[in-house]
Amino acid sequence: MYEVFSIYKTEISYTVATIFVLLIVQFLLKKAAHKVGKRSEINFTRTRLMFKYINILILLIAVFLLSLAWGVGLTEISLIFSSVFAVLGVALFAIWSILSNITSGIILFFSFPYKIGDKIKIHDKDLPVEAVIEDIKAFHLHLRTLDGELITYPNNLILQKAVSLVAKDVFLDEGKSSL
């Protein structure tokens, strides 16, 4: 055991330091996302979704840095990452709308002026919608109409359409049963 440590002392030291630094960065990013969520009165389930995205980002950075620490060259890493991204690019091009909705979900987390419980009107010439925001997910919003109908509205469309606020905190004011 001592031989392994003495042979790979530098690599083990870099690994420990990298993991320590990335854990601190992850903690700070999650704390910042929590502050933004709290300041903007964003539902905690949406904040946890941002935590998942932060975890994925930290994992990718960790794989890259630990590969460098253990002697994988930049050419090999760039070959692996470019191959993976090429395959992902081709695969995700086929499902670009899902990527669009995920990106829109991140944008909505940081800059959507409405929150769960607000009654909004979506100004769509083909299908105007007036409903209460019941939930905001990674891909879509759950909207409840006055008739009790549940509408799943894609995040990318909510960013493309004009939206106006009809009433704030409808759930708190009127209760869930009577919209």
Side-chain angles (χ1 to χ4, degrees):
M1 181 68 180
Y2 180 74
E3 293 174 15
V4 172
F5 183 73
S6 63
I7 293 172
Y8 296 109
K9 181 171 43 172
T10 307
E11 289 86 354
I12 292 172
S13 300
Y14 284 143
T15 300
V16 170
T18 300
I19 290 172
F20 181 72
V21 169
L22 287 178
L23 286 175
I24 291 172
V25 170
Q26 181 183 31
F27 173 76
L28 294 174
L29 286 174
K30 285 184 175 182
K31 191 170 184 156
H34 183 69
K35 273 187 180 178
V36 167
K38 196 171 189 176
R39 185 179 58 230
S40 302
E41 297 178 0
I42 295 173
N43 190 325
F44 188 68
T45 55
R46 289 185 58 211
T47 305
R48 282 196 322 218
L49 181 64
M50 285 298 114
F51 292 169
K52 288 181 186 178
Y53 293 151
I54 290 169
N55 289 340
I56 292 169
L57 175 67
I58 294 297
L59 179 67
L60 289 174
I61 293 171
V63 167
F64 176 74
L65 292 177
L66 292 177
S67 298
L68 286 176
W70 284 89
V72 179
L74 283 176
T75 55
E76 290 88 3
I77 291 174
S78 63
L79 177 66
I80 291 169
F81 273 93
S82 64
S83 299
V84 167
F85 286 128
V87 169
L88 284 175
V90 170
L92 293 176
F93 180 74
I95 52 172
W96 68 268
S97 64
I98 292 175
L99 255 184
S100 173
N101 282 319
I102 291 173
T103 305
S104 299
I106 294 171
I107 293 169
L108 289 177
F109 177 78
F110 290 106
S111 65
F112 195 53
Y114 313 114
K115 60 183 179 132
I116 294 172
D118 289 349
K119 186 175 187 180
I120 61 171
K121 182 173 184 176
I122 301 170
H123 303 280
D124 186 358
K125 82 174 180 180
D126 296 329
L127 182 66
V129 175
E130 186 170 326
V132 175
I133 301 173
E134 204 169 83
D135 199 2
I136 303 173
K137 305 257 185 205
F139 298 101
H140 54 270
L141 277 79
H142 285 174
L143 304 171
R144 184 73 64 179
T145 65
L146 297 174
D147 302 330
E149 177 183 14
L150 179 66
I151 297 174
T152 303
Y153 206 83
N155 286 341
N156 62 350
L157 289 182
I158 200 79
L159 291 178
Q160 296 173 10
K161 306 290 181 185
V163 179
S164 59
L165 179 66
V166 176
K168 289 209 64 80
D169 298 325
V170 173
F171 286 158
L172 299 176
D173 296 338
E174 302 174 16
K176 280 190 175 182
S177 58
S178 59
L179 296 173

